[in-house]
Amino acid sequence: MNPLAYLKRGDTLYVFASFNAAPDNPAWYHNLKAHPKVTVEVGTETFHGIATELHGADRDDVYAEQAAFNPGFAEYEKATTRVIPVIALTRA
């Protein structure tokens, strides 16, 4: 179990592999890439979902919204040379 910051749009949750701007992606990111079927717990709700990485303009749009809501994410992006992955968690 990894507690993560998330952004909710409709029924989709987005999580961000920022890893405090470390030069590498966090272990949970690699786990999701290898095993995209997930169980998500948010508050008192639990559901099964699929993790899908966003790319290009879709990724940039979601990340920009998160950075506007939580400016720390803008700082993470400035402090690293990697593109911080954005993962969509959709209900299965």
Side-chain angles (χ1 to χ4, degrees):
M1 180 184 315
N2 289 69
L4 301 172
Y6 66 91
L7 174 69
K8 184 174 182 178
R9 283 184 174 177
D11 285 337
T12 302
L13 301 179
Y14 298 91
V15 293
F16 308 88
S18 60
F19 207 29
N20 293 320
D24 299 310
N25 291 320
W28 65 258
Y29 164 81
H30 299 289
N31 291 337
L32 284 182
K33 294 293 285 183
H35 306 284
K37 292 182 180 178
V38 296
T39 301
V40 179
E41 296 179 14
V42 177
T44 60
E45 181 183 14
T46 300
F47 65 89
H48 296 286
I50 301 294
T52 307
E53 185 171 359
L54 276 63
H55 297 282
D58 291 334
R59 178 256 172 225
D60 295 347
D61 180 54
V62 172
Y63 198 90
E65 185 175 342
Q66 178 67 4
F69 176 72
N70 184 337
F73 282 86
E75 295 302 315
Y76 296 149
E77 197 166 42
K78 290 177 191 173
T80 188
T81 57
R82 67 184 171 90
V83 175
I84 296 172
V86 175
I87 308 294
L89 304 175
T90 55
R91 294 174 186 272

